[in-house]
Amino acid sequence: ACRNWHDWRMCVSASARARQKQQYRSLSSVPVPLHEQTPLTEAYHGFLQQIKRHGEGSITLNVVPENHGKVLDIHIDNPSKRNCLSGHMIFQLMTIIDSLSKNEQYSNAMAVMLRGTGSDCTDPNLTPAFCAGLDFSLAKEVVTTSDQGFMMCSMMTDALNRLRNLNMISVALLHGPALGGGAELATSCDFRLMTDCTTSKVGFVHGMLAASPGWGGGRRLVQIVGRRQALRLLGTAQVLNAQEALAADLVDAVLTLPSTESS
């Protein structure tokens, strides 16, 4: 059994090799990026530039050194806002997913880990978070019309679908809150691991704002937990702790942290 993050890295590496041999997902199954399906319109191009310039934070792609380039790490970093996604971060995420699906540099990678700042527990002053969804300032300052809202949803749905269809195993490490768009982001990965930290929560809280998942997370949730369970989670906007998420089949395993890190 895989009881900690290191064990899971080893398990993922082994299972990824088997998955590649079986060609579980061929590269031909990766959807064409939305912006390549049709010529860029002036409105779309302008909106993309607005998104790119908005907000702080970063999303970076790194190689896990101890796995000889076979395991990659996508790091969400915006700690002052619990890793909410700014426009700049969304643009970086789209660029990273493009690179993973096209760049020969990553052709030998077998797995990619998605995590937020504080997940490695190395800085006790950092409050861990996976992702608390979309930065509200982006919605107030940039996504101000229904057309822009449609473009934002289309871009993110397209990006997360391509992340889910990468020819490598994807794992989301939920340490801290994964709420709203953060929960949708987690569903785009093949596996979700959640720590038993008291701040680790996952929830599709869109209903609290009289909204529904706009990044394809509702459909993916049905695929993961089934229609009835998905309707309950979406309708109640319930926020689950690690054991509740495990019981609901939303996460695949709960990782136990040392007592000094789980409070």
Side-chain angles (χ1 to χ4, degrees), residues 4-233:
N4 55 52
W5 184 227
H6 174 74
D7 288 346
W8 264 97
R9 279 181 175 173
M10 300 302 293
C11 290
V12 165
S13 295
S15 57
R17 185 179 298 277
R19 178 175 172 177
Q20 280 199 328
K21 288 181 178 179
Q22 296 169 358
Q23 297 183 340
Y24 181 74
R25 289 186 182 138
S26 66
L27 287 173
S28 62
S29 69
V30 178
V32 177
L34 181 69
H35 59 272
E36 293 185 2
Q37 294 176 10
T38 57
L40 281 173
T41 64
E42 183 177 347
Y44 179 85
H45 179 74
F47 181 66
L48 197 61
Q49 293 307 307
Q50 284 183 285
I51 291 292
K52 182 180 179 179
R53 293 191 297 266
H54 175 273
E56 301 177 347
S58 65
I59 297 183
T60 55
L61 177 64
N62 307 290
V63 176
V64 179
E66 58 265 33
N67 288 281
H68 309 289
K70 300 296 185 181
V71 178
L72 307 174
D73 175 59
I74 297 177
H75 184 204
I76 306 168
D77 184 30
N78 193 7
S80 65
K81 294 189 175 182
R82 297 195 301 174
N83 293 335
C84 281
L85 299 179
S86 66
H88 178 64
M89 294 168 71
I90 287 173
F91 183 84
Q92 287 180 319
L93 179 62
M94 294 168 59
T95 303
I96 286 170
I97 294 170
D98 274 346
S99 296
L100 291 178
S101 60
K102 298 177 182 178
N103 198 325
E104 288 295 322
Q105 176 184 354
Y106 306 115
S107 60
N108 292 325
M110 297 186 296
V112 58
M113 313 290 180
L114 189 62
R115 63 184 181 88
T117 293
S119 61
D120 53 5
C121 303
T122 57
D123 187 348
N125 297 316
L126 270 180
T127 301
F130 177 71
C131 175
L134 183 70
D135 186 343
F136 282 157
S137 67
L138 177 62
K140 293 179 181 179
E141 299 167 10
V142 179
V143 189
T144 57
T145 68
S146 58
D147 286 343
Q148 290 172 331
F150 175 78
M151 284 189 284
M152 170 62 74
C153 290
S154 298
M155 285 193 304
M156 283 301 293
T157 299
D158 175 71
L160 297 188
N161 283 344
R162 287 187 289 118
L163 174 60
R164 187 167 179 80
N165 283 282
L166 288 175
N167 194 38
M168 60 185 76
I169 284 181
S170 54
V171 181
L173 175 61
L174 310 185
H175 184 41
L179 303 174
E184 294 194 67
L185 182 58
T187 64
S188 67
C189 292
D190 296 310
F191 299 101
R192 284 152 299 283
L193 310 179
M194 194 168 180
T195 67
D196 61 355
C197 174
T198 56
T199 60
S200 291
K201 309 285 183 181
V202 59
F204 288 79
V205 296
H206 309 71
M208 295 180 180
L209 302 174
S212 60
W215 299 348
R219 177 180 58 81
R220 292 189 296 271
L221 184 63
V222 171
Q223 294 172 344
I224 294 167
V225 303
R227 183 175 183 273
R228 183 176 180 181
Q229 185 76 282
L231 285 173
R232 184 181 70 81
L233 294 174

